[in-house]
PDB file of all heavy atoms in Angstrom:
ATOM      1  N   LEU A 442      -9.047 -18.826   4.202  1.00 94.00           N
ATOM      2  CA  LEU A 442      -9.005 -20.203   4.705  1.00 94.00           C
ATOM      3  C   LEU A 442      -7.690 -20.471   5.423  1.00 94.00           C
ATOM      4  O   LEU A 442      -7.658 -21.233   6.401  1.00 94.00           O
ATOM      5  CB  LEU A 442      -9.210 -21.194   3.549  1.00 94.00           C
ATOM      6  CG  LEU A 442      -9.208 -22.664   3.895  1.00 94.00           C
ATOM      7  CD1 LEU A 442     -10.338 -22.961   4.854  1.00 94.00           C
ATOM      8  CD2 LEU A 442      -9.338 -23.533   2.638  1.00 94.00           C
ATOM      9  N   LYS A 443      -6.616 -19.913   4.929  1.00 94.00           N
ATOM     10  CA  LYS A 443      -5.329 -20.095   5.633  1.00 94.00           C
ATOM     11  C   LYS A 443      -5.371 -19.589   7.041  1.00 94.00           C
ATOM     12  O   LYS A 443      -4.762 -20.187   7.966  1.00 94.00           O
ATOM     13  CB  LYS A 443      -4.231 -19.357   4.850  1.00 94.00           C
ATOM     14  CG  LYS A 443      -3.809 -20.030   3.553  1.00 94.00           C
ATOM     15  CD  LYS A 443      -2.709 -19.295   2.873  1.00 94.00           C
ATOM     16  CE  LYS A 443      -2.246 -20.004   1.624  1.00 94.00           C
ATOM     17  NZ  LYS A 443      -1.177 -19.240   0.896  1.00 94.00           N
ATOM     18  N   CYS A 444      -6.077 -18.502   7.277  1.00 93.00           N
ATOM     19  CA  CYS A 444      -6.226 -17.955   8.632  1.00 93.00           C
ATOM     20  C   CYS A 444      -7.014 -18.877   9.522  1.00 93.00           C
ATOM     21  O   CYS A 444      -6.769 -18.985  10.723  1.00 93.00           O
ATOM     22  CB  CYS A 444      -6.867 -16.553   8.581  1.00 93.00           C
ATOM     23  SG  CYS A 444      -5.897 -15.324   7.715  1.00 93.00           S
ATOM     24  N   VAL A 445      -8.005 -19.556   8.913  1.00 95.00           N
ATOM     25  CA  VAL A 445      -8.782 -20.544   9.705  1.00 95.00           C
ATOM     26  C   VAL A 445      -7.884 -21.738  10.046  1.00 95.00           C
ATOM     27  O   VAL A 445      -7.882 -22.212  11.203  1.00 95.00           O
ATOM     28  CB  VAL A 445      -9.994 -21.035   8.854  1.00 95.00           C
ATOM     29  CG1 VAL A 445     -10.739 -22.148   9.597  1.00 95.00           C
ATOM     30  CG2 VAL A 445     -10.894 -19.870   8.573  1.00 95.00           C
ATOM     31  N   ILE A 446      -7.100 -22.229   9.058  1.00 95.00           N
ATOM     32  CA  ILE A 446      -6.230 -23.367   9.307  1.00 95.00           C
ATOM     33  C   ILE A 446      -5.191 -23.034  10.393  1.00 95.00           C
ATOM     34  O   ILE A 446      -4.849 -23.894  11.215  1.00 95.00           O
ATOM     35  CB  ILE A 446      -5.507 -23.735   7.982  1.00 95.00           C
ATOM     36  CG1 ILE A 446      -6.541 -24.267   6.973  1.00 95.00           C
ATOM     37  CG2 ILE A 446      -4.416 -24.781   8.232  1.00 95.00           C
ATOM     38  CD1 ILE A 446      -5.961 -24.465   5.570  1.00 95.00           C
ATOM     39  N   ALA A 447      -4.746 -21.783  10.415  1.00 95.00           N
ATOM     40  CA  ALA A 447      -3.705 -21.410  11.359  1.00 95.00           C
ATOM     41  C   ALA A 447      -4.184 -21.495  12.822  1.00 95.00           C
ATOM     42  O   ALA A 447      -3.389 -21.796  13.733  1.00 95.00           O
ATOM     43  CB  ALA A 447      -3.200 -19.994  11.055  1.00 95.00           C
ATOM     44  N   VAL A 448      -5.473 -21.241  13.063  1.00 96.00           N
ATOM     45  CA  VAL A 448      -5.975 -21.196  14.449  1.00 96.00           C
ATOM     46  C   VAL A 448      -6.550 -22.519  14.902  1.00 96.00           C
ATOM     47  O   VAL A 448      -6.729 -22.735  16.111  1.00 96.00           O
ATOM     48  CB  VAL A 448      -7.024 -20.076  14.566  1.00 96.00           C
ATOM     49  CG1 VAL A 448      -8.349 -20.448  13.940  1.00 96.00           C
ATOM     50  CG2 VAL A 448      -7.233 -19.673  16.041  1.00 96.00           C
ATOM     51  N   LEU A 449      -6.867 -23.406  13.982  1.00 96.00           N
ATOM     52  CA  LEU A 449      -7.527 -24.686  14.376  1.00 96.00           C
ATOM     53  C   LEU A 449      -6.733 -25.517  15.374  1.00 96.00           C
ATOM     54  O   LEU A 449      -7.355 -26.022  16.339  1.00 96.00           O
ATOM     55  CB  LEU A 449      -7.825 -25.498  13.096  1.00 96.00           C
ATOM     56  CG  LEU A 449      -9.108 -25.178  12.380  1.00 96.00           C
ATOM     57  CD1 LEU A 449      -9.297 -26.065  11.158  1.00 96.00           C
ATOM     58  CD2 LEU A 449     -10.292 -25.351  13.297  1.00 96.00           C
ATOM     59  N   PRO A 450      -5.436 -25.745  15.197  1.00 96.00           N
ATOM     60  CA  PRO A 450      -4.729 -26.582  16.161  1.00 96.00           C
ATOM     61  C   PRO A 450      -4.848 -26.060  17.604  1.00 96.00           C
ATOM     62  O   PRO A 450      -5.042 -26.859  18.533  1.00 96.00           O
ATOM     63  CB  PRO A 450      -3.286 -26.548  15.699  1.00 96.00           C
ATOM     64  CG  PRO A 450      -3.379 -26.261  14.206  1.00 96.00           C
ATOM     65  CD  PRO A 450      -4.557 -25.336  14.100  1.00 96.00           C
ATOM     66  N   ALA A 451      -4.722 -24.763  17.812  1.00 97.00           N
ATOM     67  CA  ALA A 451      -4.817 -24.199  19.142  1.00 97.00           C
ATOM     68  C   ALA A 451      -6.212 -24.388  19.731  1.00 97.00           C
ATOM     69  O   ALA A 451      -6.329 -24.706  20.929  1.00 97.00           O
ATOM     70  CB  ALA A 451      -4.432 -22.718  19.114  1.00 97.00           C
ATOM     71  N   VAL A 452      -7.241 -24.157  18.938  1.00 97.00           N
ATOM     72  CA  VAL A 452      -8.612 -24.279  19.421  1.00 97.00           C
ATOM     73  C   VAL A 452      -8.913 -25.745  19.825  1.00 97.00           C
ATOM     74  O   VAL A 452      -9.490 -25.980  20.860  1.00 97.00           O
ATOM     75  CB  VAL A 452      -9.592 -23.795  18.338  1.00 97.00           C
ATOM     76  CG1 VAL A 452     -11.020 -24.135  18.733  1.00 97.00           C
ATOM     77  CG2 VAL A 452      -9.440 -22.307  18.125  1.00 97.00           C
ATOM     78  N   VAL A 453      -8.514 -26.694  18.994  1.00 97.00           N
ATOM     79  CA  VAL A 453      -8.748 -28.081  19.276  1.00 97.00           C
ATOM     80  C   VAL A 453      -8.030 -28.518  20.552  1.00 97.00           C
ATOM     81  O   VAL A 453      -8.602 -29.206  21.415  1.00 97.00           O
ATOM     82  CB  VAL A 453      -8.319 -28.979  18.104  1.00 97.00           C
ATOM     83  CG1 VAL A 453      -8.396 -30.445  18.456  1.00 97.00           C
ATOM     84  CG2 VAL A 453      -9.204 -28.672  16.879  1.00 97.00           C
ATOM     85  N   ALA A 454      -6.773 -28.091  20.667  1.00 97.00           N
ATOM     86  CA  ALA A 454      -5.992 -28.427  21.849  1.00 97.00           C
ATOM     87  C   ALA A 454      -6.632 -27.881  23.148  1.00 97.00           C
ATOM     88  O   ALA A 454      -6.741 -28.586  24.135  1.00 97.00           O
ATOM     89  CB  ALA A 454      -4.537 -27.928  21.706  1.00 97.00           C
ATOM     90  N   ILE A 455      -7.051 -26.626  23.093  1.00 98.00           N
ATOM     91  CA  ILE A 455      -7.647 -26.013  24.306  1.00 98.00           C
ATOM     92  C   ILE A 455      -9.008 -26.658  24.621  1.00 98.00           C
ATOM     93  O   ILE A 455      -9.344 -26.871  25.782  1.00 98.00           O
ATOM     94  CB  ILE A 455      -7.782 -24.484  24.122  1.00 98.00           C
ATOM     95  CG1 ILE A 455      -6.419 -23.855  24.022  1.00 98.00           C
ATOM     96  CG2 ILE A 455      -8.574 -23.855  25.290  1.00 98.00           C
ATOM     97  CD1 ILE A 455      -6.470 -22.371  23.707  1.00 98.00           C
ATOM     98  N   ALA A 456      -9.779 -26.975  23.589  1.00 97.00           N
ATOM     99  CA  ALA A 456     -11.058 -27.640  23.801  1.00 97.00           C
ATOM    100  C   ALA A 456     -10.860 -28.996  24.530  1.00 97.00           C
ATOM    101  O   ALA A 456     -11.678 -29.340  25.386  1.00 97.00           O
ATOM    102  CB  ALA A 456     -11.759 -27.832  22.463  1.00 97.00           C
ATOM    103  N   ILE A 457      -9.837 -29.692  24.156  1.00 98.00           N
ATOM    104  CA  ILE A 457      -9.532 -30.960  24.831  1.00 98.00           C
ATOM    105  C   ILE A 457      -9.112 -30.710  26.272  1.00 98.00           C
ATOM    106  O   ILE A 457      -9.554 -31.410  27.197  1.00 98.00           O
ATOM    107  CB  ILE A 457      -8.422 -31.750  24.071  1.00 98.00           C
ATOM    108  CG1 ILE A 457      -8.966 -32.160  22.677  1.00 98.00           C
ATOM    109  CG2 ILE A 457      -7.974 -32.938  24.868  1.00 98.00           C
ATOM    110  CD1 ILE A 457      -7.902 -32.792  21.806  1.00 98.00           C
ATOM    111  N   LEU A 458      -8.288 -29.715  26.479  1.00 98.00           N
ATOM    112  CA  LEU A 458      -7.819 -29.410  27.843  1.00 98.00           C
ATOM    113  C   LEU A 458      -8.939 -28.885  28.746  1.00 98.00           C
ATOM    114  O   LEU A 458      -8.848 -28.962  29.979  1.00 98.00           O
ATOM    115  CB  LEU A 458      -6.707 -28.341  27.768  1.00 98.00           C
ATOM    116  CG  LEU A 458      -5.381 -28.857  27.193  1.00 98.00           C
ATOM    117  CD1 LEU A 458      -4.395 -27.690  27.002  1.00 98.00           C
ATOM    118  CD2 LEU A 458      -4.736 -29.927  28.060  1.00 98.00           C
ATOM    119  N   GLN A 459     -10.053 -28.383  28.149  1.00 98.00           N
ATOM    120  CA  GLN A 459     -11.170 -27.951  28.951  1.00 98.00           C
ATOM    121  C   GLN A 459     -11.830 -29.091  29.680  1.00 98.00           C
ATOM    122  O   GLN A 459     -12.551 -28.863  30.649  1.00 98.00           O
ATOM    123  CB  GLN A 459     -12.229 -27.267  28.052  1.00 98.00           C
ATOM    124  CG  GLN A 459     -11.876 -25.833  27.617  1.00 98.00           C
ATOM    125  CD  GLN A 459     -12.085 -24.807  28.703  1.00 98.00           C
ATOM    126  OE1 GLN A 459     -12.289 -25.124  29.886  1.00 98.00           O
ATOM    127  NE2 GLN A 459     -12.038 -23.529  28.346  1.00 98.00           N
TER     128      GLN A 459
END
Side-chain angles (χ1 to χ4, degrees):
L442 182 60
K443 285 181 178 180
C444 296
V445 176
I446 294 171
V448 75
L449 274 180
V452 171
V453 172
I455 294 174
I457 294 172
L458 291 173
Q459 284 283 13

